[in-house]
mmCIF file of all heavy atoms in Angstrom:
data_model
loop_
_atom_site.group_PDB
_atom_site.id
_atom_site.type_symbol
_atom_site.label_atom_id
_atom_site.label_comp_id
_atom_site.label_asym_id
_atom_site.label_seq_id
_atom_site.Cartn_x
_atom_site.Cartn_y
_atom_site.Cartn_z
ATOM 1 N N GLU W 11 90.293 122.616 151.758
ATOM 2 C CA GLU W 11 89.168 121.725 151.446
ATOM 3 C C GLU W 11 88.810 120.836 152.638
ATOM 4 O O GLU W 11 87.660 120.428 152.806
ATOM 5 C CB GLU W 11 89.477 120.860 150.224
ATOM 6 C CG GLU W 11 90.731 120.022 150.313
ATOM 7 C CD GLU W 11 91.970 120.738 149.763
ATOM 8 O OE1 GLU W 11 91.978 121.982 149.752
ATOM 9 O OE2 GLU W 11 92.909 120.030 149.338
ATOM 10 N N ASP W 12 89.819 120.536 153.493
ATOM 11 C CA ASP W 12 89.532 119.765 154.708
ATOM 12 C C ASP W 12 88.641 120.570 155.651
ATOM 13 O O ASP W 12 87.695 120.040 156.253
ATOM 14 C CB ASP W 12 90.836 119.405 155.430
ATOM 15 C CG ASP W 12 91.732 118.488 154.611
ATOM 16 O OD1 ASP W 12 91.191 117.715 153.800
ATOM 17 O OD2 ASP W 12 92.957 118.550 154.786
ATOM 18 N N ARG W 13 88.944 121.846 155.798
ATOM 19 C CA ARG W 13 88.171 122.704 156.698
ATOM 20 C C ARG W 13 86.737 122.861 156.194
ATOM 21 O O ARG W 13 85.791 122.839 156.987
ATOM 22 C CB ARG W 13 88.849 124.074 156.820
ATOM 23 C CG ARG W 13 90.261 123.988 157.390
ATOM 24 C CD ARG W 13 90.895 125.350 157.538
ATOM 25 N NE ARG W 13 92.252 125.253 158.067
ATOM 26 C CZ ARG W 13 92.890 126.210 158.705
ATOM 27 N NH1 ARG W 13 92.285 127.384 158.900
ATOM 28 N NH2 ARG W 13 94.108 126.043 159.150
ATOM 29 N N LEU W 14 86.591 123.003 154.881
ATOM 30 C CA LEU W 14 85.249 123.135 154.320
ATOM 31 C C LEU W 14 84.461 121.850 154.511
ATOM 32 O O LEU W 14 83.271 121.878 154.851
ATOM 33 C CB LEU W 14 85.327 123.487 152.835
ATOM 34 C CG LEU W 14 83.980 123.609 152.108
ATOM 35 C CD1 LEU W 14 83.103 124.669 152.771
ATOM 36 C CD2 LEU W 14 84.196 123.937 150.626
ATOM 37 N N GLU W 15 85.118 120.693 154.320
ATOM 38 C CA GLU W 15 84.420 119.422 154.497
ATOM 39 C C GLU W 15 83.992 119.239 155.953
ATOM 40 O O GLU W 15 82.885 118.757 156.227
ATOM 41 C CB GLU W 15 85.312 118.257 154.063
ATOM 42 C CG GLU W 15 84.596 116.911 154.101
ATOM 43 C CD GLU W 15 85.448 115.762 153.602
ATOM 44 O OE1 GLU W 15 86.606 116.014 153.193
ATOM 45 O OE2 GLU W 15 84.959 114.618 153.634
ATOM 46 N N LEU W 16 84.861 119.651 156.891
ATOM 47 C CA LEU W 16 84.503 119.551 158.300
ATOM 48 C C LEU W 16 83.339 120.482 158.629
ATOM 49 O O LEU W 16 82.411 120.100 159.339
ATOM 50 C CB LEU W 16 85.709 119.877 159.183
ATOM 51 C CG LEU W 16 85.458 119.854 160.693
ATOM 52 C CD1 LEU W 16 84.932 118.486 161.144
ATOM 53 C CD2 LEU W 16 86.740 120.218 161.455
ATOM 54 N N ALA W 17 83.383 121.703 158.094
ATOM 55 C CA ALA W 17 82.284 122.648 158.312
ATOM 56 C C ALA W 17 80.973 122.066 157.788
ATOM 57 O O ALA W 17 79.918 122.196 158.433
ATOM 58 C CB ALA W 17 82.593 123.973 157.623
ATOM 59 N N ARG W 18 81.035 121.408 156.639
ATOM 60 C CA ARG W 18 79.839 120.810 156.050
ATOM 61 C C ARG W 18 79.292 119.695 156.947
ATOM 62 O O ARG W 18 78.075 119.596 157.152
ATOM 63 C CB ARG W 18 80.151 120.268 154.663
ATOM 64 C CG ARG W 18 78.952 119.665 153.941
ATOM 65 C CD ARG W 18 79.307 119.177 152.550
ATOM 66 N NE ARG W 18 79.787 120.258 151.710
ATOM 67 C CZ ARG W 18 81.034 120.368 151.253
ATOM 68 N NH1 ARG W 18 81.939 119.444 151.562
ATOM 69 N NH2 ARG W 18 81.389 121.386 150.498
ATOM 70 N N GLU W 19 80.164 118.865 157.486
ATOM 71 C CA GLU W 19 79.718 117.774 158.360
ATOM 72 C C GLU W 19 79.104 118.312 159.650
ATOM 73 O O GLU W 19 78.115 117.768 160.146
ATOM 74 C CB GLU W 19 80.895 116.845 158.677
ATOM 75 C CG GLU W 19 81.334 115.975 157.513
ATOM 76 C CD GLU W 19 80.233 115.043 157.026
ATOM 77 O OE1 GLU W 19 79.526 114.460 157.875
ATOM 78 O OE2 GLU W 19 80.065 114.906 155.807
ATOM 79 N N ILE W 20 79.684 119.379 160.189
ATOM 80 C CA ILE W 20 79.123 119.981 161.403
ATOM 81 C C ILE W 20 77.743 120.559 161.100
ATOM 82 O O ILE W 20 76.804 120.417 161.881
ATOM 83 C CB ILE W 20 80.063 121.067 161.959
ATOM 84 C CG1 ILE W 20 81.412 120.463 162.349
ATOM 85 C CG2 ILE W 20 79.431 121.759 163.170
ATOM 86 C CD1 ILE W 20 82.474 121.487 162.735
ATOM 87 N N ARG W 21 77.617 121.205 159.938
ATOM 88 C CA ARG W 21 76.322 121.770 159.548
ATOM 89 C C ARG W 21 75.270 120.677 159.408
ATOM 90 O O ARG W 21 74.144 120.800 159.904
ATOM 91 C CB ARG W 21 76.478 122.545 158.234
ATOM 92 C CG ARG W 21 75.238 123.297 157.793
ATOM 93 C CD ARG W 21 74.397 122.526 156.803
ATOM 94 N NE ARG W 21 75.122 122.200 155.593
ATOM 95 C CZ ARG W 21 74.669 121.372 154.661
ATOM 96 N NH1 ARG W 21 73.493 120.771 154.813
ATOM 97 N NH2 ARG W 21 75.385 121.105 153.576
ATOM 98 N N LYS W 22 75.617 119.591 158.758
ATOM 99 C CA LYS W 22 74.656 118.513 158.546
ATOM 100 C C LYS W 22 74.256 117.857 159.866
ATOM 101 O O LYS W 22 73.118 117.426 160.032
ATOM 102 C CB LYS W 22 75.252 117.470 157.599
ATOM 103 C CG LYS W 22 75.354 117.974 156.156
ATOM 104 C CD LYS W 22 76.303 117.144 155.314
ATOM 105 C CE LYS W 22 75.874 115.723 155.136
ATOM 106 N NZ LYS W 22 76.803 114.972 154.254
ATOM 107 N N ALA W 23 75.187 117.814 160.823
ATOM 108 C CA ALA W 23 74.891 117.194 162.113
ATOM 109 C C ALA W 23 74.052 118.092 163.003
ATOM 110 O O ALA W 23 73.200 117.606 163.767
ATOM 111 C CB ALA W 23 76.194 116.828 162.825
ATOM 112 N N THR W 24 74.268 119.396 162.928
ATOM 113 C CA THR W 24 73.598 120.311 163.856
ATOM 114 C C THR W 24 72.385 121.010 163.257
ATOM 115 O O THR W 24 71.555 121.540 163.993
ATOM 116 C CB THR W 24 74.574 121.386 164.363
ATOM 117 O OG1 THR W 24 75.094 122.123 163.248
ATOM 118 C CG2 THR W 24 75.738 120.747 165.121
ATOM 119 N N LYS W 25 72.279 121.046 161.943
ATOM 120 C CA LYS W 25 71.121 121.646 161.285
ATOM 121 C C LYS W 25 70.653 120.729 160.153
ATOM 122 O O LYS W 25 70.773 121.058 158.967
ATOM 123 C CB LYS W 25 71.465 123.042 160.723
ATOM 124 C CG LYS W 25 71.626 124.114 161.792
ATOM 125 C CD LYS W 25 70.278 124.474 162.403
ATOM 126 C CE LYS W 25 70.456 125.558 163.468
ATOM 127 N NZ LYS W 25 71.000 125.021 164.732
ATOM 128 N N PRO W 26 70.142 119.530 160.496
ATOM 129 C CA PRO W 26 69.655 118.620 159.450
ATOM 130 C C PRO W 26 68.505 119.263 158.687
ATOM 131 O O PRO W 26 67.841 120.175 159.180
ATOM 132 C CB PRO W 26 69.205 117.388 160.235
ATOM 133 C CG PRO W 26 68.941 117.893 161.613
ATOM 134 C CD PRO W 26 69.909 119.008 161.850
ATOM 135 N N MET W 27 68.261 118.770 157.474
ATOM 136 C CA MET W 27 67.354 119.470 156.568
ATOM 137 C C MET W 27 66.452 118.517 155.800
ATOM 138 O O MET W 27 66.857 117.419 155.412
ATOM 139 C CB MET W 27 68.200 120.295 155.581
ATOM 140 C CG MET W 27 67.413 121.245 154.695
ATOM 141 S SD MET W 27 68.494 122.097 153.506
ATOM 142 C CE MET W 27 69.734 122.813 154.589
ATOM 143 N N VAL W 28 65.219 118.974 155.582
ATOM 144 C CA VAL W 28 64.254 118.307 154.709
ATOM 145 C C VAL W 28 63.924 119.273 153.580
ATOM 146 O O VAL W 28 63.793 120.478 153.810
ATOM 147 C CB VAL W 28 62.972 117.948 155.474
ATOM 148 C CG1 VAL W 28 61.878 117.456 154.541
ATOM 149 C CG2 VAL W 28 63.256 116.897 156.547
ATOM 150 N N ILE W 29 63.808 118.763 152.352
ATOM 151 C CA ILE W 29 63.429 119.590 151.210
ATOM 152 C C ILE W 29 61.923 119.495 151.004
ATOM 153 O O ILE W 29 61.383 118.401 150.802
ATOM 154 C CB ILE W 29 64.149 119.145 149.923
ATOM 155 C CG1 ILE W 29 65.666 119.111 150.120
ATOM 156 C CG2 ILE W 29 63.770 120.075 148.757
ATOM 157 C CD1 ILE W 29 66.293 120.441 150.407
ATOM 158 N N ALA W 30 61.231 120.643 151.090
ATOM 159 C CA ALA W 30 59.807 120.698 150.759
ATOM 160 C C ALA W 30 59.683 121.152 149.318
ATOM 161 O O ALA W 30 59.910 122.321 148.993
ATOM 162 C CB ALA W 30 59.078 121.656 151.692
ATOM 163 N N ALA W 31 59.374 120.209 148.432
ATOM 164 C CA ALA W 31 59.245 120.511 147.001
ATOM 165 C C ALA W 31 57.901 121.184 146.775
ATOM 166 O O ALA W 31 56.891 120.524 146.546
ATOM 167 C CB ALA W 31 59.372 119.235 146.180
ATOM 168 N N ASN W 32 57.897 122.517 146.847
ATOM 169 C CA ASN W 32 56.645 123.269 146.829
ATOM 170 C C ASN W 32 56.157 123.531 145.400
ATOM 171 O O ASN W 32 56.902 123.394 144.436
ATOM 172 C CB ASN W 32 56.833 124.594 147.569
ATOM 173 C CG ASN W 32 55.513 125.227 147.956
ATOM 174 O OD1 ASN W 32 54.499 124.542 148.119
ATOM 175 N ND2 ASN W 32 55.493 126.541 148.087
ATOM 176 N N LYS W 33 54.893 123.916 145.322
ATOM 177 C CA LYS W 33 54.189 124.212 144.068
ATOM 178 C C LYS W 33 54.090 122.981 143.168
ATOM 179 O O LYS W 33 54.141 123.077 141.938
ATOM 180 C CB LYS W 33 54.866 125.378 143.332
ATOM 181 C CG LYS W 33 54.982 126.643 144.189
ATOM 182 C CD LYS W 33 55.538 127.823 143.427
ATOM 183 C CE LYS W 33 55.693 129.041 144.345
ATOM 184 N NZ LYS W 33 56.234 130.218 143.633
ATOM 185 N N MET W 34 53.944 121.828 143.845
ATOM 186 C CA MET W 34 53.861 120.576 143.096
ATOM 187 C C MET W 34 52.524 120.387 142.393
ATOM 188 O O MET W 34 52.296 119.367 141.757
ATOM 189 C CB MET W 34 54.118 119.401 144.054
ATOM 190 C CG MET W 34 55.582 119.189 144.385
ATOM 191 S SD MET W 34 56.552 118.653 142.965
ATOM 192 C CE MET W 34 55.801 117.083 142.661
ATOM 193 N N ASP W 35 51.641 121.378 142.510
ATOM 194 C CA ASP W 35 50.381 121.309 141.775
ATOM 195 C C ASP W 35 50.507 121.915 140.388
ATOM 196 O O ASP W 35 49.499 122.212 139.734
ATOM 197 C CB ASP W 35 49.263 122.011 142.555
ATOM 198 C CG ASP W 35 49.696 123.354 143.129
ATOM 199 O OD1 ASP W 35 50.860 123.749 142.911
ATOM 200 O OD2 ASP W 35 48.874 124.001 143.801
ATOM 201 N N THR W 36 51.753 122.086 139.901
ATOM 202 C CA THR W 36 51.993 122.574 138.543
ATOM 203 C C THR W 36 52.719 121.501 137.735
ATOM 204 O O THR W 36 53.530 120.748 138.285
ATOM 205 C CB THR W 36 52.845 123.859 138.557
ATOM 206 O OG1 THR W 36 54.149 123.559 139.077
ATOM 207 C CG2 THR W 36 52.194 124.930 139.420
ATOM 208 N N PRO W 37 52.458 121.403 136.437
ATOM 209 C CA PRO W 37 53.128 120.384 135.608
ATOM 210 C C PRO W 37 54.641 120.535 135.611
ATOM 211 O O PRO W 37 55.373 119.536 135.602
ATOM 212 C CB PRO W 37 52.543 120.631 134.206
ATOM 213 C CG PRO W 37 51.259 121.354 134.443
ATOM 214 C CD PRO W 37 51.465 122.181 135.675
ATOM 215 N N GLU W 38 55.129 121.777 135.617
ATOM 216 C CA GLU W 38 56.576 122.007 135.602
ATOM 217 C C GLU W 38 57.236 121.436 136.852
ATOM 218 O O GLU W 38 58.304 120.818 136.787
ATOM 219 C CB GLU W 38 56.878 123.508 135.491
ATOM 220 C CG GLU W 38 56.410 124.168 134.203
ATOM 221 C CD GLU W 38 54.944 124.551 134.227
ATOM 222 O OE1 GLU W 38 54.280 124.355 135.280
ATOM 223 O OE2 GLU W 38 54.439 125.023 133.193
ATOM 224 N N ALA W 39 56.588 121.637 137.999
ATOM 225 C CA ALA W 39 57.144 121.127 139.251
ATOM 226 C C ALA W 39 57.145 119.600 139.264
ATOM 227 O O ALA W 39 58.112 118.972 139.728
ATOM 228 C CB ALA W 39 56.344 121.662 140.437
ATOM 229 N N GLN W 40 56.092 119.008 138.752
ATOM 230 C CA GLN W 40 56.017 117.550 138.733
ATOM 231 C C GLN W 40 57.095 116.961 137.839
ATOM 232 O O GLN W 40 57.712 115.934 138.170
ATOM 233 C CB GLN W 40 54.622 117.125 138.266
ATOM 234 C CG GLN W 40 53.521 117.501 139.247
ATOM 235 C CD GLN W 40 52.125 117.424 138.664
ATOM 236 O OE1 GLN W 40 51.927 116.862 137.590
ATOM 237 N NE2 GLN W 40 51.138 117.986 139.363
ATOM 238 N N GLU W 41 57.373 117.616 136.728
ATOM 239 C CA GLU W 41 58.434 117.143 135.833
ATOM 240 C C GLU W 41 59.800 117.270 136.510
ATOM 241 O O GLU W 41 60.625 116.348 136.441
ATOM 242 C CB GLU W 41 58.400 117.958 134.532
ATOM 243 C CG GLU W 41 59.409 117.510 133.499
ATOM 244 C CD GLU W 41 59.309 118.298 132.195
ATOM 245 O OE1 GLU W 41 58.244 118.916 131.956
ATOM 246 O OE2 GLU W 41 60.293 118.302 131.426
ATOM 247 N N ASN W 42 60.031 118.408 137.170
ATOM 248 C CA ASN W 42 61.303 118.596 137.876
ATOM 249 C C ASN W 42 61.462 117.594 139.008
ATOM 250 O O ASN W 42 62.547 117.053 139.241
ATOM 251 C CB ASN W 42 61.397 120.019 138.429
ATOM 252 C CG ASN W 42 61.686 121.045 137.346
ATOM 253 O OD1 ASN W 42 62.363 120.754 136.370
ATOM 254 N ND2 ASN W 42 61.167 122.255 137.524
ATOM 255 N N TYR W 43 60.376 117.336 139.725
ATOM 256 C CA TYR W 43 60.414 116.398 140.847
ATOM 257 C C TYR W 43 60.792 114.997 140.366
ATOM 258 O O TYR W 43 61.660 114.331 140.957
ATOM 259 C CB TYR W 43 59.059 116.371 141.540
ATOM 260 C CG TYR W 43 58.949 115.370 142.672
ATOM 261 C CD1 TYR W 43 59.439 115.664 143.935
ATOM 262 C CD2 TYR W 43 58.333 114.125 142.463
ATOM 263 C CE1 TYR W 43 59.345 114.747 144.972
ATOM 264 C CE2 TYR W 43 58.230 113.207 143.498
ATOM 265 C CZ TYR W 43 58.734 113.516 144.747
ATOM 266 O OH TYR W 43 58.632 112.598 145.761
#
């Protein structure tokens, strides 16, 4: 679990991410958002 946590931290540092909540022009997406 230590190795996995370290891998996760390296991933977050080297490949940061933004979530594009797509298809937000639908009622279902707006509710989920």
